[in-house]
Amino acid sequence: EAQVTQNPRYLITVTGKKLTVTCSQNMNHEYMSWYRQDPGLGLRQIYYSMNVEVTDKGDVPEGYKVSRKEKRNFPLILESPSPNQTSLYFCASSLGRFNQPQHFGDGTRLSIL
Amino acid sequence: EDKVVQSPLSLVVHEGDTVTLNCSYEVTNFRSLLWYKQEKKAPTFLFMLTSSGIEKKSGRLSSILDKKELFSILNITATQTGDSAVYLCAASNYGQNFVFGPGTRLSVLP
């Protein structure tokens, strides 16, 4: 089954404790992206990647890092999380050309105390 | 700054009603306009529009894009309770950057 898998689905942690949210897709998609979703603000793009070793900042990249060492994986790293990063996070992937529709993972709800 | 605006933000209708959701955008180097439906979890894709004036249809849902006036509409006819969801509009540019609107929360009452 074609899917985008995020882990963990839920996480409660404390300020400053580094964390990684993994994202994996099995559709051989070139394009992958991370979003955060906050009430009233919709989905905001954090980082995206057009292919292996190619990443670009989205609209809200501050406080986040990503890497794309393999085509299927696109982890999101919070080196020193802060409470304002409490949010619902989505990973998405698509075929790389011509802005194809994205397939989304089920989301990761992060709470940073 | 690129932005996408949706209206209304919230809408309550009864089963059988027809609804029109609006999306306007200001995106540099605009490429495409996409609509998604979000129920409890992940957004699911509905339509992608790249050309003006060409209606896309899927069952009771249809959508059209006006690139001159920079807006799109999503129509749902004969609404059902299963249409209750948040409908998201997103605009993309040639750089593969996607900008989403805040969404329209549709509630369909029986």
Side-chain angles (χ1 to χ4, degrees):
Chain A
E1 182 192 344
Q3 58 186 7
V4 178
T5 304
Q6 296 178 225
N7 279 297
R9 293 289 317 283
Y10 303 90
L11 179 64
I12 301 173
T13 187
V14 296
T15 299
K17 186 176 180 184
K18 180 179 177 180
L19 67 93
T20 299
V21 185
T22 63
C23 174
S24 181
Q25 50 93 4
N26 63 0
M27 295 167 279
N28 202 36
H29 284 166
E30 294 91 355
Y31 182 90
M32 297 185 75
S33 183
W34 275 103
Y35 297 87
R36 60 178 289 173
Q37 187 173 35
D38 302 290
L41 296 178
L43 286 159
R44 292 182 292 166
Q45 195 168 35
I46 304 171
Y47 271 95
Y48 61 97
S49 168
M50 303 274 276
N51 214 324
V52 176
E53 303 291 2
V54 180
T55 62
D56 276 296
K57 294 178 181 178
D59 296 320
V60 288
E62 296 78 18
Y64 304 94
K65 282 175 58 176
V66 292
S67 69
R68 188 91 183 272
K69 294 189 172 62
E70 306 163 279
K71 199 171 187 180
R72 63 183 291 128
N73 295 322
F74 190 45
L76 179 70
I77 303 153
L78 285 72
E79 294 266 4
S80 183
S82 62
N84 65 11
Q85 293 176 298
T86 292
S87 188
L88 178 60
Y89 290 85
F90 286 100
C91 179
S93 74
S94 69
L95 289 170
R97 301 185 68 190
F98 307 128
N99 308 96
Q100 291 300 304
Q102 296 173 74
H103 297 255
F104 283 82
D106 284 340
T108 294
R109 188 166 290 284
L110 282 184
S111 294
I112 298 161
L113 307 177
Chain B
E1 183 183 332
D2 294 342
K3 68 178 179 181
V4 172
V5 176
Q6 292 185 246
S7 65
L9 294 181
S10 181
L11 188 56
V12 180
V13 300
H14 286 91
E15 271 192 320
D17 288 348
T18 293
V19 298
T20 298
L21 309 183
N22 303 294
C23 174
S24 63
Y25 63 90
E26 290 176 30
V27 171
T28 306
N29 295 324
F30 172 81
R31 166 68 190 176
S32 59
L33 192 292
L34 300 97
W35 285 95
Y36 289 85
K37 177 182 182 182
Q38 185 176 25
E39 296 174 90
K40 295 206 186 309
K41 299 191 289 190
T44 53
F45 171 72
L46 294 175
F47 298 110
M48 183 169 79
L49 305 148
T50 56
S51 301
S52 264
I54 299 174
E55 186 182 50
K56 292 219 171 177
K57 217 168 152 56
S58 176
R60 296 176 293 103
L61 278 65
S62 63
S63 184
I64 197 161
L65 174 67
D66 184 329
K67 289 169 77 171
K68 184 179 173 191
E69 300 296 330
L70 308 184
F71 79 88
S72 173
I73 60 172
L74 175 68
N75 278 321
I76 309 175
T77 59
T79 51
Q80 302 171 356
T81 54
D83 295 327
S84 295
V86 175
Y87 290 84
L88 300 168
C89 169
S92 73
N93 59 24
Y94 277 87
Q96 296 274 31
N97 183 225
F98 288 81
V99 180
F100 279 78
T104 293
R105 181 174 296 277
L106 174 65
S107 299
V108 182
L109 304 178

Coordinates of all heavy atoms in Angstrom, one line a residue, chain B residues 9-58:
Chain B
L9 N -14.5 31.0 6.6 CA -13.7 30.1 7.4 C -14.5 29.0 8.0 O -13.9 27.9 8.3 CB -13.0 31.0 8.5 CG -12.0 32.0 8.1 CD1 -11.4 32.7 9.3 CD2 -10.9 31.4 7.2
S10 N -15.8 29.2 8.2 CA -16.6 28.2 8.7 C -18.0 28.3 8.1 O -18.4 29.3 7.8 CB -16.7 28.4 10.2 OG -17.5 27.4 10.9
L11 N -18.6 27.1 7.9 CA -19.9 27.1 7.2 C -20.7 25.9 7.8 O -20.2 24.8 7.9 CB -19.6 26.9 5.7 CG -20.7 27.0 4.7 CD1 -21.4 28.3 4.8 CD2 -20.1 26.8 3.3
V12 N -22.0 26.2 8.1 CA -22.8 25.1 8.5 C -24.0 25.0 7.6 O -24.7 26.0 7.3 CB -23.4 25.3 10.0 CG1 -24.3 24.2 10.4 CG2 -22.2 25.5 10.9
V13 N -24.3 23.8 7.0 CA -25.4 23.7 6.1 C -26.1 22.4 6.4 O -25.7 21.6 7.3 CB -24.9 23.6 4.6 CG1 -24.1 24.9 4.2 CG2 -24.0 22.4 4.4
H14 N -27.2 22.2 5.8 CA -28.0 20.9 5.9 C -27.8 20.0 4.7 O -27.5 20.5 3.6 CB -29.5 21.2 6.1 CG -29.8 21.8 7.5 ND1 -29.8 23.2 7.7 CD2 -30.1 21.2 8.7 CE1 -30.1 23.4 9.0 NE2 -30.2 22.2 9.6
E15 N -28.0 18.8 5.0 CA -27.8 17.8 3.9 C -28.7 18.2 2.7 O -29.8 18.6 2.9 CB -28.3 16.4 4.4 CG -27.2 15.6 5.0 CD -27.5 14.1 5.2 OE1 -28.7 13.9 5.6 OE2 -26.7 13.3 4.9
G16 N -28.1 18.1 1.5 CA -28.8 18.4 0.3 C -28.5 19.8 -0.2 O -28.8 20.1 -1.4
D17 N -28.0 20.7 0.7 CA -27.6 22.0 0.2 C -26.4 22.0 -0.7 O -25.6 21.0 -0.7 CB -27.2 22.9 1.4 CG -28.4 23.2 2.3 OD1 -29.6 23.0 1.8 OD2 -28.2 23.8 3.4
T18 N -26.3 23.0 -1.5 CA -25.1 23.2 -2.3 C -24.2 24.3 -1.7 O -24.7 25.3 -1.2 CB -25.5 23.6 -3.7 OG1 -26.2 22.6 -4.4 CG2 -24.3 24.0 -4.6
V19 N -22.9 24.1 -1.7 CA -22.0 25.0 -1.1 C -20.9 25.4 -2.0 O -20.5 24.6 -2.9 CB -21.3 24.5 0.2 CG1 -22.4 24.2 1.3 CG2 -20.5 23.3 0.0
T20 N -20.4 26.7 -1.9 CA -19.3 27.2 -2.7 C -18.3 27.7 -1.7 O -18.5 28.6 -0.9 CB -19.8 28.3 -3.6 OG1 -20.7 27.8 -4.5 CG2 -18.6 28.9 -4.4
L21 N -17.1 27.1 -1.8 CA -15.9 27.6 -1.0 C -15.0 28.4 -1.9 O -14.7 28.0 -3.1 CB -15.2 26.3 -0.4 CG -16.1 25.3 0.3 CD1 -15.2 24.2 0.9 CD2 -16.9 26.0 1.3
N22 N -14.5 29.4 -1.3 CA -13.6 30.4 -2.1 C -12.2 30.4 -1.7 O -11.9 30.2 -0.5 CB -14.2 31.8 -1.9 CG -15.6 31.9 -2.3 OD1 -16.0 31.8 -3.5 ND2 -16.5 32.2 -1.3
C23 N -11.3 30.6 -2.6 CA -9.9 30.6 -2.4 C -9.3 31.7 -3.3 O -9.4 31.6 -4.5 CB -9.3 29.3 -2.7 SG -7.5 29.3 -2.6
S24 N -8.6 32.7 -2.7 CA -7.9 33.7 -3.5 C -6.4 33.6 -3.1 O -6.1 33.2 -2.0 CB -8.4 35.1 -3.3 OG -8.2 35.5 -1.9
Y25 N -5.6 33.9 -4.1 CA -4.1 33.7 -3.8 C -3.3 34.9 -4.4 O -3.7 35.5 -5.3 CB -3.7 32.4 -4.4 CG -3.8 32.3 -5.9 CD1 -2.8 32.7 -6.8 CD2 -5.0 31.8 -6.5 CE1 -2.9 32.6 -8.1 CE2 -5.2 31.7 -7.9 CZ -4.1 32.1 -8.7 OH -4.3 32.1 -10.1
E26 N -2.2 35.1 -3.8 CA -1.1 36.0 -4.3 C 0.2 35.2 -4.2 O 0.7 35.1 -3.0 CB -1.1 37.3 -3.5 CG -2.2 38.2 -3.7 CD -2.1 39.4 -2.7 OE1 -1.0 39.8 -2.4 OE2 -3.2 39.9 -2.3
V27 N 0.6 34.6 -5.2 CA 1.8 33.8 -5.2 C 2.7 34.2 -6.4 O 2.3 34.2 -7.5 CB 1.5 32.3 -5.3 CG1 2.7 31.4 -5.5 CG2 0.7 31.9 -4.0
T28 N 4.0 34.5 -6.1 CA 4.9 34.8 -7.1 C 5.2 33.6 -8.0 O 5.4 32.5 -7.4 CB 6.2 35.3 -6.5 OG1 5.9 36.4 -5.6 CG2 7.2 35.8 -7.6
N29 N 5.3 33.7 -9.3 CA 5.5 32.6 -10.2 C 4.6 31.4 -9.9 O 5.0 30.3 -9.8 CB 7.0 32.1 -10.0 CG 8.0 33.1 -10.5 OD1 7.8 33.9 -11.4 ND2 9.1 33.2 -9.7
F30 N 3.3 31.8 -9.9 CA 2.3 30.8 -9.6 C 2.3 29.6 -10.6 O 2.5 29.8 -11.8 CB 0.9 31.5 -9.7 CG -0.3 30.5 -9.6 CD1 -0.7 30.0 -8.4 CD2 -0.9 30.1 -10.8 CE1 -1.8 29.1 -8.4 CE2 -2.0 29.2 -10.8 CZ -2.4 28.8 -9.5
R31 N 2.1 28.4 -10.1 CA 2.1 27.2 -11.0 C 0.8 26.5 -11.0 O 0.2 26.2 -12.0 CB 3.2 26.3 -10.6 CG 3.2 24.9 -11.2 CD 3.4 24.9 -12.7 NE 3.1 23.6 -13.2 CZ 3.1 23.3 -14.5 NH1 3.4 24.2 -15.4 NH2 2.8 22.1 -15.0
S32 N 0.3 26.2 -9.8 CA -0.9 25.4 -9.7 C -1.7 25.7 -8.4 O -1.1 26.2 -7.4 CB -0.6 23.9 -9.8 OG 0.2 23.5 -8.8
L33 N -3.0 25.4 -8.4 CA -3.9 25.5 -7.3 C -4.4 24.2 -6.9 O -4.9 23.4 -7.8 CB -5.0 26.5 -7.6 CG -5.9 27.1 -6.6 CD1 -6.9 26.1 -6.0 CD2 -5.1 27.9 -5.5
L34 N -4.3 23.8 -5.6 CA -4.7 22.5 -5.2 C -5.8 22.6 -4.1 O -5.7 23.5 -3.3 CB -3.5 21.6 -4.7 CG -2.4 21.4 -5.8 CD1 -1.3 22.4 -5.6 CD2 -1.9 20.0 -5.6
W35 N -6.7 21.6 -4.1 CA -7.7 21.5 -3.1 C -7.5 20.2 -2.4 O -7.3 19.2 -3.0 CB -9.1 21.6 -3.6 CG -9.6 23.0 -4.0 CD1 -9.5 23.5 -5.3 CD2 -10.1 24.0 -3.2 NE1 -10.0 24.8 -5.3 CE2 -10.4 25.1 -4.0 CE3 -10.5 24.0 -1.8 CZ2 -11.0 26.2 -3.5 CZ3 -11.0 25.2 -1.3 CH2 -11.3 26.3 -2.1
Y36 N -7.6 20.2 -1.0 CA -7.5 19.0 -0.2 C -8.7 19.0 0.8 O -9.2 20.1 1.2 CB -6.2 19.0 0.6 CG -5.0 18.8 -0.2 CD1 -4.3 19.9 -0.8 CD2 -4.4 17.5 -0.3 CE1 -3.1 19.7 -1.5 CE2 -3.2 17.3 -1.0 CZ -2.6 18.4 -1.6 OH -1.4 18.2 -2.3
K37 N -9.0 17.8 1.2 CA -10.1 17.6 2.2 C -9.4 17.0 3.4 O -8.6 16.1 3.3 CB -11.1 16.6 1.7 CG -12.2 16.3 2.7 CD -13.2 15.3 2.1 CE -14.3 15.0 3.1 NZ -15.3 14.0 2.6
Q38 N -9.6 17.6 4.6 CA -9.0 17.1 5.8 C -10.1 16.8 6.8 O -10.8 17.6 7.3 CB -8.0 18.1 6.4 CG -7.2 17.6 7.6 CD -6.2 18.5 8.1 OE1 -6.3 19.7 8.0 NE2 -5.2 18.0 8.8
E39 N -10.2 15.5 7.1 CA -11.1 15.1 8.1 C -10.3 14.9 9.4 O -9.8 15.9 9.9 CB -11.8 13.8 7.7 CG -12.6 14.0 6.4 CD -13.3 12.8 5.8 OE1 -14.4 12.4 6.2 OE2 -12.6 12.2 4.9
K40 N -10.2 13.8 10.0 CA -9.5 13.8 11.3 C -8.0 13.8 11.2 O -7.3 14.2 12.1 CB -10.0 12.5 12.1 CG -11.5 12.5 12.4 CD -11.7 11.7 13.6 CE -13.2 11.6 13.9 NZ -13.9 12.8 14.0
K41 N -7.5 13.3 10.1 CA -6.0 13.2 10.1 C -5.4 13.9 8.8 O -5.5 15.1 8.8 CB -5.7 11.7 10.0 CG -6.2 10.9 11.3 CD -5.6 9.5 11.4 CE -6.2 8.6 10.3 NZ -5.8 7.2 10.6
A42 N -4.8 13.1 8.0 CA -4.1 13.7 6.9 C -5.0 14.3 5.8 O -6.0 13.7 5.5 CB -3.2 12.6 6.2
P43 N -4.6 15.4 5.2 CA -5.3 15.9 4.1 C -5.3 15.0 2.9 O -4.2 14.3 2.7 CB -4.5 17.2 3.7 CG -3.7 17.6 5.0 CD -3.4 16.3 5.6
T44 N -6.4 14.9 2.2 CA -6.4 14.0 1.0 C -6.7 14.9 -0.2 O -7.5 15.8 -0.1 CB -7.5 12.9 1.2 OG1 -8.7 13.5 1.5 CG2 -7.1 11.9 2.2
F45 N -6.1 14.5 -1.3 CA -6.1 15.4 -2.5 C -7.5 15.3 -3.2 O -8.1 14.2 -3.3 CB -5.0 14.8 -3.4 CG -5.1 15.4 -4.8 CD1 -4.7 16.8 -5.0 CD2 -5.5 14.7 -5.9 CE1 -4.8 17.3 -6.3 CE2 -5.6 15.2 -7.1 CZ -5.2 16.5 -7.3
L46 N -7.9 16.5 -3.6 CA -9.2 16.5 -4.4 C -8.9 16.9 -5.8 O -9.2 16.2 -6.7 CB -10.1 17.6 -3.7 CG -10.7 17.2 -2.3 CD1 -11.5 18.4 -1.8 CD2 -11.5 16.0 -2.4
F47 N -8.4 18.1 -6.0 CA -8.2 18.6 -7.4 C -6.8 19.4 -7.5 O -6.4 20.0 -6.5 CB -9.3 19.6 -7.8 CG -10.6 19.1 -7.8 CD1 -11.6 19.4 -6.9 CD2 -11.0 18.2 -8.8 CE1 -12.9 18.9 -6.9 CE2 -12.3 17.7 -8.9 CZ -13.2 18.0 -7.9
M48 N -6.3 19.4 -8.7 CA -5.2 20.3 -9.0 C -5.6 21.0 -10.3 O -6.0 20.4 -11.3 CB -3.9 19.5 -9.2 CG -2.7 20.5 -9.5 SD -1.1 19.7 -9.5 CE -1.1 18.9 -11.1
L49 N -5.4 22.4 -10.2 CA -5.9 23.2 -11.3 C -4.7 24.0 -11.8 O -4.0 24.7 -11.0 CB -7.0 24.2 -10.9 CG -8.2 23.5 -10.3 CD1 -8.8 24.3 -9.2 CD2 -9.2 23.2 -11.4
T50 N -4.4 24.0 -13.1 CA -3.3 24.8 -13.6 C -3.8 25.8 -14.7 O -3.1 26.7 -15.0 CB -2.2 23.9 -14.2 OG1 -2.8 23.0 -15.2 CG2 -1.6 23.1 -13.1
S51 N -4.9 25.5 -15.3 CA -5.4 26.3 -16.4 C -6.7 27.0 -16.0 O -7.6 26.5 -15.4 CB -5.7 25.5 -17.6 OG -4.5 24.8 -18.0
S52 N -6.8 28.3 -16.5 CA -8.0 29.0 -16.2 C -9.2 28.5 -16.9 O -9.2 28.1 -18.1 CB -7.8 30.5 -16.6 OG -7.4 31.3 -15.6
G53 N -10.4 28.5 -16.3 CA -11.7 28.3 -16.9 C -12.0 26.8 -17.2 O -13.1 26.5 -17.7
I54 N -11.1 25.9 -16.9 CA -11.4 24.5 -17.1 C -11.9 23.9 -15.8 O -11.2 23.8 -14.9 CB -10.2 23.8 -17.7 CG1 -9.8 24.4 -19.0 CG2 -10.5 22.3 -17.9 CD1 -8.5 23.9 -19.5
E55 N -13.2 23.4 -15.8 CA -13.7 22.9 -14.6 C -13.3 21.4 -14.4 O -13.3 20.7 -15.4 CB -15.3 22.9 -14.7 CG -15.9 22.4 -13.4 CD -17.4 22.4 -13.5 OE1 -18.0 21.8 -14.4 OE2 -18.1 23.0 -12.6
K56 N -12.9 21.1 -13.2 CA -12.6 19.7 -12.9 C -13.7 19.2 -12.0 O -14.2 19.9 -11.2 CB -11.2 19.7 -12.1 CG -10.1 20.0 -13.0 CD -8.9 19.1 -12.7 CE -7.8 19.4 -13.8 NZ -6.6 18.6 -13.5
K57 N -14.1 18.0 -12.3 CA -15.3 17.4 -11.6 C -15.0 16.0 -11.1 O -14.3 15.2 -11.7 CB -16.4 17.3 -12.6 CG -17.8 17.7 -12.1 CD -18.7 17.9 -13.2 CE -20.2 17.5 -12.8 NZ -20.6 18.2 -11.6
S58 N -15.5 15.7 -9.9 CA -15.4 14.4 -9.3 C -16.6 14.2 -8.5 O -16.8 14.7 -7.4 CB -14.1 14.3 -8.5 OG -14.1 13.0 -7.9

